[in-house]
Amino acid sequence: MKEQDPVERGPVQRDPVELVRAAKAIDGFPSGSVLVRGGRVVDPTQSQLAPLQAQAAAQAQASEGAATLDAVCDVLIVDGVVEAVGTDLEAPEGAEILDATGKVVIPGLIDIHVHLREPGQEWKETVASGTRAAAAGGFTAVACMANTQPTNDCRSVTEHIVEEARRAACARVYPLGAISKGLAGRELAEFGDMAKAGAVAVSDDGKPVENAELMRRAFDYARHFDLPVVQHAQDMEVSGDGVMHEGEFSARLGVPSIPAIAEDLMVARDLLLLEETGGRYHVQHLSSGRSVELIKQAKERGLAVSCEVSPHHLLLTDEDVWKAGLDPNIKMNPPLRSAADRDALVAGLLDGTIDCIASDHAPHHPDEKQLDFSAAPFGIVGLETMVSLILDRFVRSGHIDLARFVELLSTVPAQLMGLPGGSLAPGSIGDVTLLDLECKITVDAGSFESLSRNTPFDGWTLAGAPAGTVVSGRII
Amino acid sequence: MAEGHWSAKHLLGIAELEANDITSILDTAESFREVASRPIKKVPTLRGKTVLNVFFESSTRTRSSFEIAEKRMSADAINFSTSTSSLSKGESMLDTARNLEAMAPDVLVIRHPHPRVPHQLAGLIDSSIVNAGDGAHEHPTQALLDAFTIRRHKGTLEGLRVAIVGDIEHSRVVRSNVLLLRKMGASVVVAGPRTMMPRHAEALGAEVAYRVEDALEGADVVMMLRIQLERQGNSGSQLLLPSTDEYFHLFGLSAERLALAKDDAIVLHPGPMNRGVEITSEVADGARSVILEQVANGLAVRMAVLYLLAGVA
Ligand SMILES: [Zn+2]
């Protein structure tokens, strides 16, 4: 086996100070200060109330498994950057005070898989509405997919999204560029140009890169820019015209199905390619238990592979599709799989094989979801339900603690995509999420900030919810 | 007219029926069968009622059978198909429902290529709905007419062994038949090439065989399915079946194979048949074949269903 370049293992190597400076250059942080006062601060990247220290040191410490900061204290943000974390911090003159008493204060949450639909499908979502949904859902940053119209496959489209985000967004927006021009799977897009304009990774999401040679070249070429190659893993021949998981329930319903092996085949192929080429590989919305196993083995072999899982794949199965009577709002790709797959995903999340949780927020207009199950488009919205779902079903139930929650939804996503944030260590970007662990909410799709309402979680009652965000010192 | 005990608003699938509902429909069908033997085959049962036959997928046989049943009951029968109307399978369910409802039908007979479309429309519409086939999901009137035909020959469904042979994965006839036959106490074995068997076939509730001989052994009833080369999805029919000739050699019903079944076994086929593919002419036209009776019984069963859903006593 070929040893992979050690530099390309682990998180994207970008200087955190540099990242903060770059973000500042784009967004122009507001001057002034915010004191987030009296909350329970949980930050796995800090071990104690430290004096000023560089974020890099803090992150290094975290990866060595240091104890987590978990204490009632204050966070002071000055000119968009975390200045200090400590008890009874003095509010500078003119500082805004954000009372966080009774709340949990964590590094701003980052969702690395959303579809903002702009440009081109603004009836489904826009940068403005999608980031309002992000803020309402407790996220301070999102990474958006390239399957817009036109495709984000060149600098001008990337710049358009970045500009729109600067103007209208309630959360940071990091575009992913396309791997192939027009997502057509034939020619490489201009990775370098898009990266210069702000693309943080490349993906043809919505579609897989089917052509193995194109994928091989994408791995090669992305190394020049240290961009993760992000794959929607699906063998299109095997999945055919399927619309739900191939299993007991598709057999009973006579519904054309998408076998789990459609994902496994693509993951296995890509891992072989990665071993050959080097580079970084990130698998999106993992759904199959066998794919978890493949990634676990690849990680043991030292490959630079990471993966995400979506809340719906952790919580629902194909039986729920059956029970919902083929409601189009429970149709997504990859589909909800068997209980055994779901259990393997949960196990992979708990044992660390799965790196992070991402929503795959895929808005579709209610009119589009009024088609029957087979005809309706794939995808559900997730930004405004994800935090409560994970808090209720995983944190409250004791499967993961708050520190791990922060890793899964903030620290690791930042590392994987090379983003500022994921930490409240002094010097970090001033992005904060507040959580209310006690409140009970009932999901009401009708009141979403998103322009779309396609969720299978409507009406669910959950304990724990986001309670506000701060983006570079700006209270949202 | 026999009094049926089944009273429901819709006939969406066999899944929604209990055994006594099925018996009640079959009993009612017996009295309608008699109508066919009269010189004037028309009864006033549905006079003044409007029945729309809405076919999003072409089907001459089922549509004609419903249409004749409706006319014999004096209903105003109107046909809509995607080729002759503004209806389209890309239309929103709500728009489809509103358009159909605007015509104020008493009963909607719906055939759609996608599973559970009739069920979804039932939640959006006031009319009674009869599912005339939704994708590969259900085809309840076909299963009822098959059961009716079997019962006329065997007296009962209970304890029978029924073999169903063909493309199991893509067949709504199989799904409805297995549900019905199991509810009525029969045992079912399904057989076909592995490429035409759903990967979790055991979930259907039937025994699964991959040799036609295993399925035929000791069967009281043999049901051969039409091999539909046009309904094999994107994967391409040649991926499921190299040739109809090879299918015939592996799974076709010949007189020699039929000899494996019980001596008094009957042979059914939902039609239209591919002679020389799933069945030989010798068997199709032979003494054990009840295939033409199925067509006649289809009328009686559909009349019974319409009567029970919309008829006035
Ligand atoms: Zn995807």
Side-chain angles (χ1 to χ4, degrees):
Chain A
M1 190 204 87
K2 221 173 88 188
E3 234 346 89
Q4 233 184 313
D5 182 348
V7 176
E8 292 194 342
R9 291 193 198 158
V12 174
Q13 298 295 307
R14 294 205 178 98
D15 177 8
V17 179
E18 199 44 54
L19 285 173
V20 172
R21 195 176 298 142
K24 194 165 184 166
I26 295 172
D27 295 338
F29 293 176
S31 53
S33 20
V34 173
L35 184 63
V36 184
R37 182 179 270 168
R40 175 185 165 197
V41 179
V42 177
D43 181 358
T45 70
Q46 300 185 72
S47 57
Q48 57 201 332
L49 295 180
L52 288 182
Q53 57 181 317
Q55 189 190 357
Q59 282 190 349
Q61 206 174 24
S63 56
E64 284 156 23
T68 289
L69 167 61
D70 185 349
V72 173
C73 59
D74 307 332
V75 178
L76 177 64
I77 301 163
V78 175
D79 297 341
V81 175
V82 177
E83 174 86 11
V85 178
T87 44
D88 301 324
L89 292 181
E90 191 90 18
E93 174 120 8
E96 273 186 275
I97 309 290
L98 182 57
D99 182 10
T101 311
K103 307 283 196 297
V104 173
V105 177
I106 54 176
L109 300 181
I110 302 168
D111 186 344
I112 60 168
H113 192 149
V114 308
H115 297 266
L116 293 180
R117 305 299 190 203
E118 186 175 356
Q121 295 181 306
E122 287 85 354
W123 65 90
K124 297 178 193 236
E125 199 76 288
T126 62
V127 170
S129 68
T131 56
R132 277 202 308 277
F139 293 89
T140 57
V142 296
C144 61
M145 296 303 138
N147 60 342
T148 47
Q149 291 170 359
T151 307
N152 182 18
D153 60 2
C154 62
R155 181 176 194 136
S156 61
V157 179
T158 311
E159 278 173 347
H160 172 82
I161 296 167
V162 169
E163 179 55 28
E164 196 53 32
R166 203 189 54 75
R167 204 178 58 76
C170 303
R172 288 175 207 293
V173 175
Y174 300 106
L176 273 78
I179 291 173
S180 68
K181 287 178 188 154
L183 307 185
R186 282 192 288 274
E187 302 165 60
L188 287 177
E190 293 168 309
F191 293 0
D193 228 19
M194 293 189 293
K196 255 186 234 157
V200 296
V202 287
S203 175
D204 273 2
D205 182 53
K207 289 178 175 181
V209 174
E210 292 182 73
N211 181 325
E213 178 59 5
L214 179 70
M215 192 65 175
R216 197 163 74 111
R217 296 305 181 188
F219 278 131
D220 281 338
Y221 194 54
R223 292 183 69 182
H224 287 288
F225 317 102
D226 198 15
L227 292 171
V229 178
V230 176
Q231 175 77 300
H232 166 124
Q234 176 182 5
D235 184 307
M236 297 297 281
E237 298 294 335
V238 173
S239 57
D241 56 0
V243 291
M244 76 175 285
H245 173 63
E246 179 185 81
E248 180 187 343
F249 297 98
S250 67
R252 284 159 72 175
L253 286 162
V255 172
S257 56
I258 304 175
I261 200 161
E263 178 170 303
D264 308 331
L265 284 169
M266 199 54 102
V267 169
R269 180 202 76 174
D270 288 348
L271 290 170
L272 288 172
L273 291 171
L274 178 70
E275 201 160 344
E276 186 81 14
T277 59
R280 301 176 192 291
Y281 177 49
H282 178 77
V283 188
Q284 301 182 289
H285 43 53
L286 217 60
S287 70
S288 154
R290 194 187 283 172
S291 288
V292 177
E293 193 52 42
L294 286 167
I295 289 170
K296 187 175 192 165
Q297 291 163 3
K299 284 185 165 183
E300 283 163 9
R301 293 206 308 276
L303 295 183
V305 55
S306 58
C307 61
E308 71 193 32
V309 65
S310 304
H312 44 274
H313 289 120
L314 291 169
L315 295 169
L316 302 171
T317 66
D318 59 344
E319 187 173 3
D320 293 296
V321 179
W322 160 269
K323 283 185 187 156
L326 295 181
D327 177 354
N329 286 323
I330 199 165
K331 178 184 179 184
M332 75 292 288
N333 187 20
L336 299 173
R337 299 211 180 272
S338 68
D341 287 306
R342 193 261 328 268
D343 293 349
L345 292 172
V346 171
L349 185 75
L350 299 184
D351 74 14
T353 304
I354 293 176
D355 298 89
C356 67
I357 305 177
S359 71
D360 191 9
H361 178 79
H364 292 293
H365 193 272
D367 285 350
E368 296 163 298
K369 279 289 193 179
Q370 265 179 22
L371 299 172
D372 68 88
F373 187 85
S374 305
F378 290 105
I380 62 169
V381 291
L383 277 167
E384 292 172 79
T385 48
M386 173 147 136
V387 165
S388 290
L389 288 168
I390 303 301
L391 284 178
D392 186 278
R393 298 305 164 99
F394 288 93
V395 177
R396 201 173 183 84
S397 62
H399 290 90
I400 60 177
D401 60 15
L402 275 174
R404 180 76 180 131
F405 176 86
V406 173
E407 284 176 356
L408 288 167
L409 280 94
S410 178
T411 311
V412 175
Q415 290 168 350
L416 292 178
M417 295 293 145
L419 311 177
S423 169
L424 292 176
S428 305
I429 203 159
D431 292 0
V432 178
T433 293
L434 270 59
L435 302 175
D436 183 341
L437 297 185
E438 300 312 318
C439 76
K440 265 206 155 63
I441 61 134
T442 300
V443 176
D444 173 17
S447 66
F448 281 169
E449 291 291 338
S450 168
L451 297 183
S452 296
R453 275 95 186 84
N454 46 315
T455 174
F457 299 113
D458 197 27
W460 281 39
T461 297
L462 301 164
T469 59
V470 177
V471 176
S472 53
R474 194 158 54 99
I475 300 171
I476 303 297
Chain B
M1 246 2 82
E3 263 319 302
H5 301 290
W6 178 59
S7 71
K9 182 151 186 215
H10 310 292
L11 176 64
L12 297 174
I14 300 298
E16 287 79 13
L17 301 179
E18 305 290 339
N20 58 344
D21 299 332
I22 293 163
T23 303
S24 137
I25 296 169
L26 299 185
D27 290 348
T28 309
E30 287 292 349
S31 39
F32 279 106
R33 196 174 189 275
E34 179 265 327
V35 173
S37 58
R38 295 182 195 168
I40 294 173
K41 300 176 174 56
K42 209 154 174 151
V43 291
T45 329
L46 292 185
R47 181 167 294 152
K49 302 275 183 181
T50 304
V51 182
L52 293 187
N53 300 312
V54 186
F55 279 64
F56 292 86
E57 183 184 82
S58 62
S59 155
T60 317
R61 292 210 166 205
T62 305
R63 208 207 59 216
S64 307
S65 177
F66 269 106
E67 199 181 338
I68 296 167
E70 290 149 12
K71 289 188 167 155
R72 284 195 178 167
M73 300 176 84
S74 311
D76 297 316
I78 298 152
N79 294 328
F80 278 89
S81 64
T82 40
S83 51
T84 61
S85 74
S86 61
L87 295 170
S88 113
K89 50 186 171 179
E91 189 177 52
S92 97
M93 295 303 279
L94 204 57
D95 287 339
T96 303
R98 284 178 182 154
N99 273 291
L100 294 172
E101 196 151 47
M103 293 175 252
D106 297 286
V107 181
L108 281 168
V109 176
I110 295 175
R111 157 76 57 99
H112 199 283
H114 297 157
R116 287 191 67 90
V117 168
H119 306 64
Q120 272 177 277
L121 285 173
L124 299 168
I125 234 167
D126 268 343
S127 323
S128 287
I129 288 180
V130 178
N131 180 0
D134 59 326
H137 181 217
E138 281 235 39
H139 192 358
T141 58
Q142 178 70 45
L144 286 163
L145 79 87
D146 291 339
F148 184 77
T149 307
I150 297 167
R151 201 178 72 161
R152 286 189 64 83
H153 283 269
K154 301 289 173 191
T156 178
L157 296 166
E158 197 167 348
L160 296 180
R161 180 172 168 82
V162 181
I164 308 179
V165 182
D167 182 351
I168 305 302
E169 175 153 24
H170 299 94
S171 173
R172 51 182 160 233
V173 176
V174 168
R175 286 181 179 79
S176 285
N177 258 300
V178 172
L179 287 172
L180 186 150
L181 291 164
R182 300 274 296 146
K183 284 180 191 211
M184 301 308 284
S187 72
V188 188
V189 52
V190 296
R194 286 178 186 274
T195 51
M196 292 181 164
M197 195 65 81
R199 215 159 279 275
H200 297 260
E202 68 288 348
L204 297 177
E207 204 182 301
V208 180
Y210 295 101
R211 290 177 68 244
V212 67
E213 292 81 2
D214 295 342
L216 294 177
E217 191 80 53
D220 296 288
V221 178
V222 179
M223 199 180 287
M224 300 307 291
L225 300 174
R226 173 178 166 78
I227 291 301
Q228 284 168 297
L229 291 172
E230 69 276 14
R231 205 206 300 286
Q232 311 293 352
N234 279 356
S235 45
S237 52
Q238 62 280 26
L239 292 182
L240 306 185
L241 200 63
S243 71
T244 50
D245 196 42
E246 183 151 303
Y247 181 83
F248 176 71
H249 289 300
L250 286 170
F251 287 93
L253 187 63
S254 59
E256 302 79 67
R257 278 183 178 149
L258 183 56
L260 294 167
K262 288 205 180 131
D263 290 343
D264 61 348
I266 54 171
V267 176
L268 286 80
H269 191 298
M273 283 182 285
N274 298 304
R275 288 166 186 265
V277 178
E278 63 260 5
I279 194 164
T280 62
S281 285
E282 189 188 358
V283 174
D285 303 330
R288 321 267 283 276
S289 166
V290 297
I291 296 169
L292 287 177
E293 281 175 53
Q294 285 176 274
V295 179
N297 291 341
L299 289 177
V301 162
R302 288 178 177 121
M303 287 170 84
V305 167
L306 292 166
Y307 165 72
L308 292 169
L309 289 177
V312 276

